Every structure is written in structure tokens, then in C-alpha cells.
Amino acid sequence: MNAKVVVVGSLNMDLVVRAQRLPRAGETLPGDSFFTVPGGKGANQAVAVARLGGSVAMIGNVGDDDYGRQLHRALYVEGIDCQGVSTCPAMSSGVALITVDAASQNCIVIIPGANGLLTPQSVRRFDALLQAAEVIICQLEVPASTVAWTLARGHELGKQVILNPAPATGPLPADWFAHIDYLTPNESEAEALTGVVVTDQDSARRAGERLLQLGAGKVIITLGAQGALLVTAQGHQHYPAPHVQPLDTTAAGDTFIGGFAAGLVRGLEEGEAIAFGQRAAALSVTRAGAQPSIPYLAELTP
Ligand code: RIB
């Protein structure tokens, strides 16, 4: 069966430490626990699509190591089409060093490893997957040239193209915007993309309008506990977040995006798909880790 969603992006092994607080520069802190779980924004989003009712294929790279085999298997057991997951010889897998504090805040350092070798040519080899899809999702943990090529190809094929601009370090190339149907930054990413400091709905609307002016089709700015704001040429709509007690927010954004995409391909209206993604993300933040925190459809069905 052809996958309706294709994710082009990263796979990382997450090395997670929980501590009472995040360390300051030069400081050594005792931690509370350590665990190793599959992650990576691309892989997390693919897992979210699969668990939340969408068929999905992943295009990405792992290294020729134990982490790579575990990352590959983590997708395979979810029923994800992994023909586009390649192993790079003599290369290590991507890793993310994550510290989570008692207030559920995190900080993450990423070593791209094999993710950094995902070229436009390596995505083009799986063009049949892109052709068969309805929705194509990218993030920014693989080379920019690959993201650019995939966005352009998705647009050329008439697919719904979602760019999750994470992690964002500055403005996006101007020629990307016309190829993006949904741009989905969080507060800090929206600020990096626009220069607008996003703290609430009003500042999110201003950042969203700036991104529309630059050429994005629609913008969904996720605001954590403050919900999400959809900004379109027709106006804006706020979606409140379900109230939960957060334990670990890692992969909350990925769960939202995967849930949103799964909702779209299951035939939900845009607003219903946003609310569905929010419910999934809310449940994910009550659990530890990236992929282990992502809920299944049955957990969201009343
Ligand atoms: O979005 C969360 C993810 O960011 C983690 O799983 C980590 O791998 C980093 O890519």
C-alpha cells in the first residue's frame, strides 16, 4: 500500500539525562536518571503519523552502528515504510544529548552523523514515494539543500507540503516559501524566522502575518500551553491547548505535526486536524522521552 505521508528528515538516538535543573556553563551536576531512546525530529514525526492513524514512509539516513539498527527497527515495528531509510557505511548515527529538568524544560545538543549525508540525490532515489504521497513533511535536521529540493519537488507534484522549521537558527531562504503549504514553527522558531518576539497570541499573529508576506501558504504557530495559532490570508484562529501537567516536552512539537498530518490524510478538516494534533501532543508531554511518549490513536478516541 502506498503511504499517504512521507517524512524526509532525521533519525537520532536520544541520550537523555534528567536532573533537577539544567547545568550552568562549567558546572557539574548530579543527575536523577539516564535513558537511551529513539528520536530525531523526522523519525518522531513519522512515528506520530503511524501511531495516530496515517500510513507513512520515512526517507532518511542512519549510521552503520548499533544505534542505526535500533533506529531503523523502531520505525519498522510501527509499520512505517522504511525502504527510504538508508545505512551510511563507516558513518555514525545521529545522536541528541538531551537534559530535562524538574520543570520539564529541556536543552538539546545534536550531532548529525548520517543525517548530514542525506543529499537531494538520495531523496530523489525514492521519488516514487513522493509521487504516491498526499502530504510531505520536512524539518531542518538534514542539509538545507535537501530540504530545499524536497519542498520544491513536493510543490511541483502538487502535494501538501509541511515544513517544521526546527531547529531554526535564522530566517529561511526566500525561495523556499512559495513551496510551503503549512509552516509550523514554535514560539522561538517563529522569532528566529521573523525577528518578532513571540510570547502570546498577538505576537504570534504578527509573526504569522510576516511569514505569509514572505510567501508561506499558511502558518501554524505552536505556543505550548497557550495553544496554537493558525494564520492564513483569510485571518487567524486560535486553538487552546488541553490542560495537562507536563513531565517532559521532548517531541511534543513532533507529535503535534504527526497528528496534524495523520488527521489531514484521514479526512479531518484543517481545524479538526490541528485540535487532534494538540490532543496527541498534550498526552505526549505527560510521558518521558521522544518516541516512547507519542500516543496511539486508541488513546485519543473517547
Ligand atoms: O524534537 C525532539 C527531537 O529533537 C529529539 O528526539 C532529538 O533527537 C532532537 O532531534
Side-chain angles (χ1 to χ4, degrees):
M1 190 186 70
N2 290 327
K4 291 187 174 178
V5 180
V6 174
V7 178
V8 178
S10 58
L11 302 92
N12 294 329
M13 187 57 78
D14 290 354
L15 312 183
V16 186
V17 165
R18 290 198 71 102
Q20 285 303 301
R21 60 178 176 80
L22 306 180
R24 288 188 285 271
E27 186 181 30
T28 301
L29 277 181
D32 298 329
S33 62
F34 170 74
F35 53 95
T36 305
V37 290
K41 294 183 193 302
N44 296 343
Q45 292 173 22
V47 168
V49 174
R51 290 188 185 169
L52 294 165
S55 56
V56 54
M58 177 87 203
I59 300 176
N61 283 343
V62 295
D64 186 11
D65 52 18
D66 278 347
Y67 285 165
R69 287 181 277 282
Q70 289 175 47
L71 292 169
H72 194 284
R73 178 149 185 81
L75 300 191
Y76 180 78
V77 298
E78 300 292 342
I80 294 169
D81 180 340
C82 291
Q83 63 179 288
V85 178
S86 305
T87 301
C88 298
M91 190 62 183
S92 56
S93 294
V95 292
L97 309 181
I98 303 179
T99 306
V100 183
D101 73 10
S104 82
Q105 301 188 100
N106 65 40
C107 60
I108 304 179
V109 177
I110 291 166
I111 307 296
N115 296 307
L117 299 184
L118 190 73
T119 60
Q121 293 72 22
S122 46
V123 179
R124 190 184 290 137
R125 284 173 49 216
F126 302 101
D127 198 56
L129 293 174
L130 302 180
Q131 290 180 35
E134 295 176 12
V135 174
I136 295 169
I137 308 176
C138 294
Q139 320 76 31
L140 301 181
E141 286 187 335
V142 295
S145 58
T146 304
V147 178
W149 184 86
T150 306
L151 298 177
R153 181 62 179 147
H155 180 71
E156 179 183 46
L157 290 169
K159 309 303 179 183
Q160 295 216 70
V161 176
I162 299 174
L163 177 63
N164 173 221
T169 51
L172 296 177
D175 57 349
W176 287 18
F177 285 95
H179 303 148
I180 300 168
D181 295 295
Y182 288 100
L183 185 62
T184 63
N186 66 15
E187 302 99 315
S188 63
E189 291 151 5
E191 179 179 344
L193 266 44
T194 64
V196 176
V197 178
V198 175
T199 56
D200 55 15
Q201 288 183 47
D202 189 52
S203 48
R205 177 186 53 73
R206 282 186 276 114
E209 287 172 354
R210 174 79 187 119
L211 294 166
L212 290 184
Q213 283 168 5
L214 289 168
K218 298 182 182 184
V219 180
I220 304 172
I221 301 185
T222 55
L223 300 164
Q226 294 189 75
L229 194 76
L230 171 67
V231 187
T232 72
Q234 284 70 46
H236 60 278
Q237 171 80 40
H238 178 249
Y239 295 85
H243 181 72
V244 290
Q245 189 62 44
L247 172 70
D248 179 353
T249 58
T250 308
D254 300 330
T255 304
F256 169 76
I257 288 155
F260 173 64
L264 289 181
V265 298
R266 287 173 47 231
L268 299 185
E269 298 295 329
E270 177 182 76
E272 293 173 333
I274 291 172
F276 178 68
Q278 286 180 300
R279 286 170 55 213
L283 195 46
S284 78
V285 304
T286 66
R287 302 166 174 176
Q291 290 173 26
S293 73
I294 299 170
Y296 290 84
L297 183 58
E299 298 177 82
L300 297 177
T301 309

PDB file of all heavy atoms in Angstrom, residues 7-33:
ATOM      1  N   VAL A   7       7.808  11.424   5.276  1.00  0.00           N
ATOM      2  CA  VAL A   7       8.647  12.300   6.096  1.00  0.00           C
ATOM      3  C   VAL A   7      10.071  12.203   5.576  1.00  0.00           C
ATOM      4  O   VAL A   7      10.623  11.103   5.455  1.00  0.00           O
ATOM      5  CB  VAL A   7       8.606  11.890   7.583  1.00  0.00           C
ATOM      6  CG1 VAL A   7       9.532  12.793   8.408  1.00  0.00           C
ATOM      7  CG2 VAL A   7       7.175  11.955   8.127  1.00  0.00           C
ATOM      8  N   VAL A   8      10.648  13.347   5.249  1.00  0.00           N
ATOM      9  CA  VAL A   8      12.049  13.419   4.839  1.00  0.00           C
ATOM     10  C   VAL A   8      12.795  14.119   5.965  1.00  0.00           C
ATOM     11  O   VAL A   8      12.570  15.312   6.210  1.00  0.00           O
ATOM     12  CB  VAL A   8      12.205  14.199   3.518  1.00  0.00           C
ATOM     13  CG1 VAL A   8      13.685  14.316   3.128  1.00  0.00           C
ATOM     14  CG2 VAL A   8      11.405  13.530   2.408  1.00  0.00           C
ATOM     15  N   GLY A   9      13.650  13.382   6.680  1.00  0.00           N
ATOM     16  CA  GLY A   9      14.289  14.042   7.813  1.00  0.00           C
ATOM     17  C   GLY A   9      15.213  13.155   8.608  1.00  0.00           C
ATOM     18  O   GLY A   9      15.712  12.137   8.130  1.00  0.00           O
ATOM     19  N   SER A  10      15.391  13.524   9.857  1.00  0.00           N
ATOM     20  CA  SER A  10      16.444  12.974  10.708  1.00  0.00           C
ATOM     21  C   SER A  10      15.981  11.804  11.549  1.00  0.00           C
ATOM     22  O   SER A  10      14.809  11.688  11.917  1.00  0.00           O
ATOM     23  CB  SER A  10      16.921  14.071  11.675  1.00  0.00           C
ATOM     24  OG  SER A  10      15.818  14.538  12.436  1.00  0.00           O
ATOM     25  N   LEU A  11      16.942  10.947  11.884  1.00  0.00           N
ATOM     26  CA  LEU A  11      16.773   9.917  12.903  1.00  0.00           C
ATOM     27  C   LEU A  11      17.946  10.083  13.877  1.00  0.00           C
ATOM     28  O   LEU A  11      19.115  10.125  13.437  1.00  0.00           O
ATOM     29  CB  LEU A  11      16.816   8.508  12.311  1.00  0.00           C
ATOM     30  CG  LEU A  11      15.805   8.153  11.211  1.00  0.00           C
ATOM     31  CD1 LEU A  11      16.380   8.429   9.832  1.00  0.00           C
ATOM     32  CD2 LEU A  11      15.401   6.686  11.299  1.00  0.00           C
ATOM     33  N   ASN A  12      17.652  10.216  15.148  1.00  0.00           N
ATOM     34  CA  ASN A  12      18.701  10.347  16.172  1.00  0.00           C
ATOM     35  C   ASN A  12      18.470   9.350  17.284  1.00  0.00           C
ATOM     36  O   ASN A  12      17.320   9.044  17.611  1.00  0.00           O
ATOM     37  CB  ASN A  12      18.661  11.727  16.851  1.00  0.00           C
ATOM     38  CG  ASN A  12      19.002  12.873  15.929  1.00  0.00           C
ATOM     39  OD1 ASN A  12      19.786  12.716  15.001  1.00  0.00           O
ATOM     40  ND2 ASN A  12      18.414  14.026  16.187  1.00  0.00           N
ATOM     41  N   MET A  13      19.545   8.903  17.903  1.00  0.00           N
ATOM     42  CA  MET A  13      19.401   8.228  19.189  1.00  0.00           C
ATOM     43  C   MET A  13      19.506   9.313  20.262  1.00  0.00           C
ATOM     44  O   MET A  13      20.457  10.099  20.264  1.00  0.00           O
ATOM     45  CB  MET A  13      20.481   7.164  19.375  1.00  0.00           C
ATOM     46  CG  MET A  13      20.262   6.323  20.609  1.00  0.00           C
ATOM     47  SD  MET A  13      18.641   5.479  20.645  1.00  0.00           S
ATOM     48  CE  MET A  13      18.928   4.112  19.512  1.00  0.00           C
ATOM     49  N   ASP A  14      18.502   9.366  21.121  1.00  0.00           N
ATOM     50  CA  ASP A  14      18.480  10.382  22.173  1.00  0.00           C
ATOM     51  C   ASP A  14      19.107   9.828  23.450  1.00  0.00           C
ATOM     52  O   ASP A  14      18.666   8.789  23.971  1.00  0.00           O
ATOM     53  CB  ASP A  14      17.034  10.812  22.476  1.00  0.00           C
ATOM     54  CG  ASP A  14      16.413  11.611  21.345  1.00  0.00           C
ATOM     55  OD1 ASP A  14      17.125  11.930  20.370  1.00  0.00           O
ATOM     56  OD2 ASP A  14      15.213  11.931  21.454  1.00  0.00           O
ATOM     57  N   LEU A  15      20.117  10.496  23.948  1.00  0.00           N
ATOM     58  CA  LEU A  15      20.763  10.142  25.218  1.00  0.00           C
ATOM     59  C   LEU A  15      20.261  11.162  26.240  1.00  0.00           C
ATOM     60  O   LEU A  15      20.645  12.333  26.186  1.00  0.00           O
ATOM     61  CB  LEU A  15      22.286  10.191  25.088  1.00  0.00           C
ATOM     62  CG  LEU A  15      22.880   9.470  23.862  1.00  0.00           C
ATOM     63  CD1 LEU A  15      24.396   9.529  23.891  1.00  0.00           C
ATOM     64  CD2 LEU A  15      22.408   8.031  23.790  1.00  0.00           C
ATOM     65  N   VAL A  16      19.362  10.710  27.110  1.00  0.00           N
ATOM     66  CA  VAL A  16      18.578  11.640  27.924  1.00  0.00           C
ATOM     67  C   VAL A  16      18.990  11.555  29.390  1.00  0.00           C
ATOM     68  O   VAL A  16      19.018  10.469  29.981  1.00  0.00           O
ATOM     69  CB  VAL A  16      17.070  11.323  27.816  1.00  0.00           C
ATOM     70  CG1 VAL A  16      16.247  12.382  28.557  1.00  0.00           C
ATOM     71  CG2 VAL A  16      16.635  11.212  26.366  1.00  0.00           C
ATOM     72  N   VAL A  17      19.282  12.709  29.950  1.00  0.00           N
ATOM     73  CA  VAL A  17      19.561  12.828  31.385  1.00  0.00           C
ATOM     74  C   VAL A  17      18.449  13.651  32.016  1.00  0.00           C
ATOM     75  O   VAL A  17      18.067  14.696  31.476  1.00  0.00           O
ATOM     76  CB  VAL A  17      20.921  13.531  31.611  1.00  0.00           C
ATOM     77  CG1 VAL A  17      21.061  13.980  33.051  1.00  0.00           C
ATOM     78  CG2 VAL A  17      22.060  12.618  31.218  1.00  0.00           C
ATOM     79  N   ARG A  18      17.915  13.185  33.134  1.00  0.00           N
ATOM     80  CA  ARG A  18      17.006  14.019  33.928  1.00  0.00           C
ATOM     81  C   ARG A  18      17.772  14.538  35.134  1.00  0.00           C
ATOM     82  O   ARG A  18      18.508  13.788  35.797  1.00  0.00           O
ATOM     83  CB  ARG A  18      15.781  13.240  34.380  1.00  0.00           C
ATOM     84  CG  ARG A  18      14.840  12.892  33.234  1.00  0.00           C
ATOM     85  CD  ARG A  18      13.474  12.520  33.749  1.00  0.00           C
ATOM     86  NE  ARG A  18      12.770  13.680  34.268  1.00  0.00           N
ATOM     87  CZ  ARG A  18      11.802  14.332  33.614  1.00  0.00           C
ATOM     88  NH1 ARG A  18      11.430  13.933  32.421  1.00  0.00           N
ATOM     89  NH2 ARG A  18      11.225  15.383  34.167  1.00  0.00           N
ATOM     90  N   ALA A  19      17.639  15.832  35.407  1.00  0.00           N
ATOM     91  CA  ALA A  19      18.297  16.464  36.557  1.00  0.00           C
ATOM     92  C   ALA A  19      17.318  17.479  37.132  1.00  0.00           C
ATOM     93  O   ALA A  19      16.346  17.860  36.483  1.00  0.00           O
ATOM     94  CB  ALA A  19      19.585  17.144  36.123  1.00  0.00           C
ATOM     95  N   GLN A  20      17.581  17.921  38.346  1.00  0.00           N
ATOM     96  CA  GLN A  20      16.672  18.886  38.971  1.00  0.00           C
ATOM     97  C   GLN A  20      16.650  20.196  38.184  1.00  0.00           C
ATOM     98  O   GLN A  20      15.618  20.843  38.072  1.00  0.00           O
ATOM     99  CB  GLN A  20      17.082  19.139  40.430  1.00  0.00           C
ATOM    100  CG  GLN A  20      16.722  17.985  41.348  1.00  0.00           C
ATOM    101  CD  GLN A  20      15.226  17.660  41.296  1.00  0.00           C
ATOM    102  OE1 GLN A  20      14.393  18.511  41.586  1.00  0.00           O
ATOM    103  NE2 GLN A  20      14.893  16.437  40.892  1.00  0.00           N
ATOM    104  N   ARG A  21      17.811  20.579  37.666  1.00  0.00           N
ATOM    105  CA  ARG A  21      17.861  21.801  36.858  1.00  0.00           C
ATOM    106  C   ARG A  21      18.911  21.631  35.774  1.00  0.00           C
ATOM    107  O   ARG A  21      19.722  20.699  35.822  1.00  0.00           O
ATOM    108  CB  ARG A  21      18.144  23.015  37.726  1.00  0.00           C
ATOM    109  CG  ARG A  21      19.459  22.957  38.473  1.00  0.00           C
ATOM    110  CD  ARG A  21      19.694  24.222  39.275  1.00  0.00           C
ATOM    111  NE  ARG A  21      20.920  24.121  40.060  1.00  0.00           N
ATOM    112  CZ  ARG A  21      22.147  24.316  39.571  1.00  0.00           C
ATOM    113  NH1 ARG A  21      22.313  24.599  38.290  1.00  0.00           N
ATOM    114  NH2 ARG A  21      23.210  24.206  40.350  1.00  0.00           N
ATOM    115  N   LEU A  22      18.871  22.529  34.781  1.00  0.00           N
ATOM    116  CA  LEU A  22      19.858  22.481  33.706  1.00  0.00           C
ATOM    117  C   LEU A  22      21.176  23.049  34.221  1.00  0.00           C
ATOM    118  O   LEU A  22      21.170  24.025  34.987  1.00  0.00           O
ATOM    119  CB  LEU A  22      19.364  23.301  32.509  1.00  0.00           C
ATOM    120  CG  LEU A  22      17.966  22.914  31.977  1.00  0.00           C
ATOM    121  CD1 LEU A  22      17.576  23.795  30.800  1.00  0.00           C
ATOM    122  CD2 LEU A  22      17.928  21.443  31.564  1.00  0.00           C
ATOM    123  N   PRO A  23      22.318  22.452  33.846  1.00  0.00           N
ATOM    124  CA  PRO A  23      23.600  22.963  34.358  1.00  0.00           C
ATOM    125  C   PRO A  23      23.960  24.318  33.761  1.00  0.00           C
ATOM    126  O   PRO A  23      23.586  24.619  32.626  1.00  0.00           O
ATOM    127  CB  PRO A  23      24.604  21.890  33.920  1.00  0.00           C
ATOM    128  CG  PRO A  23      23.960  21.182  32.796  1.00  0.00           C
ATOM    129  CD  PRO A  23      22.479  21.285  32.973  1.00  0.00           C
ATOM    130  N   ARG A  24      24.687  25.107  34.539  1.00  0.00           N
ATOM    131  CA  ARG A  24      25.252  26.351  34.009  1.00  0.00           C
ATOM    132  C   ARG A  24      26.589  26.024  33.338  1.00  0.00           C
ATOM    133  O   ARG A  24      27.155  24.949  33.556  1.00  0.00           O
ATOM    134  CB  ARG A  24      25.461  27.360  35.138  1.00  0.00           C
ATOM    135  CG  ARG A  24      24.162  27.943  35.677  1.00  0.00           C
ATOM    136  CD  ARG A  24      24.458  29.076  36.657  1.00  0.00           C
ATOM    137  NE  ARG A  24      24.932  28.544  37.924  1.00  0.00           N
ATOM    138  CZ  ARG A  24      24.148  28.194  38.952  1.00  0.00           C
ATOM    139  NH1 ARG A  24      22.831  28.335  38.844  1.00  0.00           N
ATOM    140  NH2 ARG A  24      24.660  27.725  40.069  1.00  0.00           N
ATOM    141  N   ALA A  25      27.142  26.976  32.567  1.00  0.00           N
ATOM    142  CA  ALA A  25      28.428  26.757  31.892  1.00  0.00           C
ATOM    143  C   ALA A  25      29.502  26.413  32.915  1.00  0.00           C
ATOM    144  O   ALA A  25      29.631  27.095  33.941  1.00  0.00           O
ATOM    145  CB  ALA A  25      28.816  28.015  31.112  1.00  0.00           C
ATOM    146  N   GLY A  26      30.227  25.349  32.666  1.00  0.00           N
ATOM    147  CA  GLY A  26      31.340  24.975  33.530  1.00  0.00           C
ATOM    148  C   GLY A  26      30.944  24.188  34.766  1.00  0.00           C
ATOM    149  O   GLY A  26      31.808  23.778  35.543  1.00  0.00           O
ATOM    150  N   GLU A  27      29.643  23.945  34.944  1.00  0.00           N
ATOM    151  CA  GLU A  27      29.163  23.309  36.167  1.00  0.00           C
ATOM    152  C   GLU A  27      28.986  21.797  35.974  1.00  0.00           C
ATOM    153  O   GLU A  27      28.589  21.343  34.900  1.00  0.00           O
ATOM    154  CB  GLU A  27      27.814  23.927  36.527  1.00  0.00           C
ATOM    155  CG  GLU A  27      27.255  23.462  37.859  1.00  0.00           C
ATOM    156  CD  GLU A  27      25.904  24.102  38.150  1.00  0.00           C
ATOM    157  OE1 GLU A  27      25.174  24.403  37.196  1.00  0.00           O
ATOM    158  OE2 GLU A  27      25.588  24.273  39.325  1.00  0.00           O
ATOM    159  N   THR A  28      29.273  21.034  37.016  1.00  0.00           N
ATOM    160  CA  THR A  28      28.961  19.606  37.032  1.00  0.00           C
ATOM    161  C   THR A  28      27.835  19.376  38.028  1.00  0.00           C
ATOM    162  O   THR A  28      27.911  19.850  39.163  1.00  0.00           O
ATOM    163  CB  THR A  28      30.186  18.784  37.463  1.00  0.00           C
ATOM    164  OG1 THR A  28      31.248  19.033  36.545  1.00  0.00           O
ATOM    165  CG2 THR A  28      29.865  17.291  37.474  1.00  0.00           C
ATOM    166  N   LEU A  29      26.791  18.674  37.553  1.00  0.00           N
ATOM    167  CA  LEU A  29      25.608  18.450  38.399  1.00  0.00           C
ATOM    168  C   LEU A  29      25.352  16.962  38.543  1.00  0.00           C
ATOM    169  O   LEU A  29      25.533  16.213  37.575  1.00  0.00           O
ATOM    170  CB  LEU A  29      24.358  19.005  37.699  1.00  0.00           C
ATOM    171  CG  LEU A  29      24.007  20.469  37.782  1.00  0.00           C
ATOM    172  CD1 LEU A  29      22.716  20.692  37.019  1.00  0.00           C
ATOM    173  CD2 LEU A  29      23.854  20.884  39.227  1.00  0.00           C
ATOM    174  N   PRO A  30      24.871  16.497  39.689  1.00  0.00           N
ATOM    175  CA  PRO A  30      24.376  15.121  39.759  1.00  0.00           C
ATOM    176  C   PRO A  30      23.019  15.052  39.056  1.00  0.00           C
ATOM    177  O   PRO A  30      22.186  15.958  39.204  1.00  0.00           O
ATOM    178  CB  PRO A  30      24.219  14.871  41.266  1.00  0.00           C
ATOM    179  CG  PRO A  30      24.037  16.235  41.856  1.00  0.00           C
ATOM    180  CD  PRO A  30      24.748  17.210  40.964  1.00  0.00           C
ATOM    181  N   GLY A  31      22.815  13.990  38.263  1.00  0.00           N
ATOM    182  CA  GLY A  31      21.525  13.808  37.605  1.00  0.00           C
ATOM    183  C   GLY A  31      20.676  12.791  38.345  1.00  0.00           C
ATOM    184  O   GLY A  31      21.145  12.135  39.290  1.00  0.00           O
ATOM    185  N   ASP A  32      19.412  12.645  37.915  1.00  0.00           N
ATOM    186  CA  ASP A  32      18.483  11.709  38.568  1.00  0.00           C
ATOM    187  C   ASP A  32      18.353  10.394  37.797  1.00  0.00           C
ATOM    188  O   ASP A  32      18.109   9.353  38.400  1.00  0.00           O
ATOM    189  CB  ASP A  32      17.097  12.344  38.690  1.00  0.00           C
ATOM    190  CG  ASP A  32      17.140  13.593  39.561  1.00  0.00           C
ATOM    191  OD1 ASP A  32      17.979  13.624  40.484  1.00  0.00           O
ATOM    192  OD2 ASP A  32      16.368  14.526  39.302  1.00  0.00           O
ATOM    193  N   SER A  33      18.450  10.458  36.471  1.00  0.00           N
ATOM    194  CA  SER A  33      18.290   9.224  35.682  1.00  0.00           C
ATOM    195  C   SER A  33      18.884   9.425  34.299  1.00  0.00           C
ATOM    196  O   SER A  33      19.116  10.564  33.868  1.00  0.00           O
ATOM    197  CB  SER A  33      16.798   8.853  35.552  1.00  0.00           C
ATOM    198  OG  SER A  33      16.101   9.871  34.868  1.00  0.00           O
TER     199      SER A  33
END
